[in-house]
Amino acid sequence: MSNDGLTELWERLLGAQPDPPPLLVLVTAVLAAAVVLMRPAWRVARNAITIAHEGGHALAAVLTGRRLRGIRLHSDTSGLTLSAGRPSGPGMAFTLLAGYVAPSLVGLTGAWLLGGNRITMLLWVAAALLLLMLVMIRNVFGVVSVVVTMAIVLGVSYYASPQVQAAFAYLGVWFLLIGGVRPVGELQTMRRRGRLPGSDADQLARITHVPAIVWVGVFGAVTIAVLVAGTFLLAGQWLPEVSATAGG
C-alpha cells in the first residue's frame, strides 16, 4: 500500500464523522429496546451479549495473570471461558466478576467513541477485538458466531454509507447498554429455580464468602449505572439540538 493509501486509511480511522440526526439516536434506542424485550429477537441477538460476556471473562483472566485456555459459545446463547490458575483469590474473583458487566462496559466505551463521532474507529476496534477472541474459540458454533459477527461489522465499515454506519453503530451500542441489564434478571430467575448452581454469582460466593444474591445485586447495579451513563453520553448527541429548538 502506498503512503497516500496509508494516510487515507489512517485519516479514515481517526477522523470524526458528521453528527448523526437526533432522530437516529432516538430511533436506534427504541429499536434496541424492542430487540431486548421481544423474546424471539432476544434469543438471536443475545449471542452478541454472550460474546461480550465471555470476552470479559477472557480479558480479566489475562489481565490477572491467569492462563487463558479457550472460549466456547453455544447455540443456547450460553458460553464458557476456561482459564488456569489459582481456584480462588483476587484473580479468580475478578475473572468471575467481569462476565456480566462486560457487555455494558463495552457499550459504555462505544458510547464514549460515538460521543466524539468516531464511528469508523468504533467499528474497526470491534472487528479487531472479535479477531483476537476468535483465536481462543474452541468449538464450531463459537467460530461461526464470531466470524459472522466480525464479517457484518467489517462489511458495514467498508461498504455501507456513513448514514448506515451511524445507524448500525448506534443500534449496536444501545443494544449492549440495554441488553447488558436483562441477563442479570435472567440469572436470578434461574438461580431461584435451582437451575444455575454453578453461576458466576455462586462461584463468587464460594470463594469470597459473600452471598450470591449480593453479587447478583452488584451485577445489576453496575449494568444499570452504566446504562444511565451511556444514555447521557448518547443523548448528548441530540438533547442540545432539541433544547435549542424548544428555546427558539
Side-chain angles (χ1 to χ4, degrees):
M1 183 179 291
S2 66
N3 289 336
D4 290 342
L6 286 173
T7 300
E8 182 181 350
L9 185 66
W10 190 249
E11 290 177 350
R12 182 181 177 189
L13 175 62
L14 296 182
Q17 285 69 48
D19 288 335
L23 185 60
L24 180 144
V25 182
L26 180 59
V27 169
T28 52
V30 172
L31 288 175
V35 170
V36 173
L37 294 174
M38 295 172 60
R39 187 180 297 272
W42 174 245
R43 286 177 178 172
V44 177
R46 196 186 193 282
N47 284 288
I49 299 294
T50 302
I51 290 173
H53 178 115
E54 299 305 329
H57 282 316
L59 178 60
V62 171
L63 291 177
T64 56
R66 298 179 63 80
R67 295 186 300 279
L68 184 60
R69 298 206 168 184
I71 302 169
R72 289 179 171 269
L73 305 172
H74 304 132
S75 58
D76 63 355
T77 71
S78 65
L80 178 66
T81 299
L82 298 173
S83 63
R86 288 185 57 194
S88 61
M92 186 62 191
F94 183 60
T95 299
L96 289 168
L97 180 62
Y100 276 96
V101 301
S104 297
L105 293 176
V106 172
L108 183 63
T109 303
W112 176 72
L113 287 172
L114 290 180
N117 289 337
R118 297 300 196 273
I119 295 172
T120 301
M121 178 183 289
L122 170 63
L123 296 176
W124 287 20
V125 167
L129 292 175
L130 288 166
L131 181 60
L132 289 174
M133 188 173 181
L134 181 61
V135 177
M136 299 307 301
I137 299 294
R138 295 293 182 263
N139 68 321
V140 174
F141 181 83
V143 170
V144 172
S145 295
V146 174
V147 168
V148 168
T149 305
M150 185 167 58
I152 293 172
V153 172
L154 287 174
V156 170
S157 68
Y158 273 103
Y159 301 112
S161 66
Q163 294 79 9
V164 172
Q165 288 186 23
F168 179 81
Y170 274 89
L171 181 61
V173 168
W174 276 121
F175 175 72
L176 288 170
L177 290 170
I178 300 170
V181 178
R182 178 166 175 170
V184 180
E186 294 176 339
L187 166 66
Q188 183 54 26
T189 298
M190 296 183 73
R191 286 189 65 256
R192 191 169 58 247
R193 296 173 180 173
R195 294 172 57 187
L196 276 180
S199 72
D200 293 350
D202 290 283
Q203 292 184 66
L204 278 165
R206 284 193 287 271
I207 66 175
T208 64
H209 307 293
V210 175
I213 188 62
V214 174
W215 289 112
V216 175
V218 170
F219 297 157
V222 171
T223 55
I224 291 172
V226 170
L227 172 58
V228 172
T231 299
F232 274 106
L233 286 173
L234 296 176
Q237 299 289 305
W238 60 276
L239 282 179
E241 185 170 328
V242 172
S243 299
T245 301

